Amino acid sequence: MSRRVASGAPVIFELLNRKQAASRTPFGDEKFDKLFGHLYRVDPDGNNGGFLTTDLQAEVESWPFKADVEQAS
């Protein structure tokens, strides 16, 4: 889902700080860092970096599925 800015143009990404990013997951701090810490983007100019929502979503979508019920042979 994308947001719209005042001009009506869609926002194609959101850069979240760690607290904002973690709040969008069901995981505690330690688990969040373990699962998503590598996705933190550093600003080359030394400004605050953050997590792209698209990176977080892609990471979760790459996780394998586990069948809820085993199928009978």
Side-chain angles (χ1 to χ4, degrees), residues 3-38:
R3 294 184 304 139
R4 295 198 177 271
V5 291
S7 68
V11 175
I12 57 172
F13 68 90
E14 287 181 273
L15 187 65
L16 306 173
N17 64 36
R18 191 195 165 289
K19 184 177 178 181
Q20 292 169 319
S23 74
R24 294 192 182 187
T25 72
F27 307 111
D29 291 341
E30 227 174 275
K31 184 75 169 183
F32 177 84
D33 289 339
K34 182 180 177 185
L35 294 172
F36 304 107
H38 67 283

Side-chain angles (χ1 to χ4, degrees), residues 59-70:
E59 179 71 15
V60 172
E61 288 178 355
S62 73
W63 294 352
F65 284 94
K66 180 178 178 183
D68 288 53
V69 179
E70 290 185 28

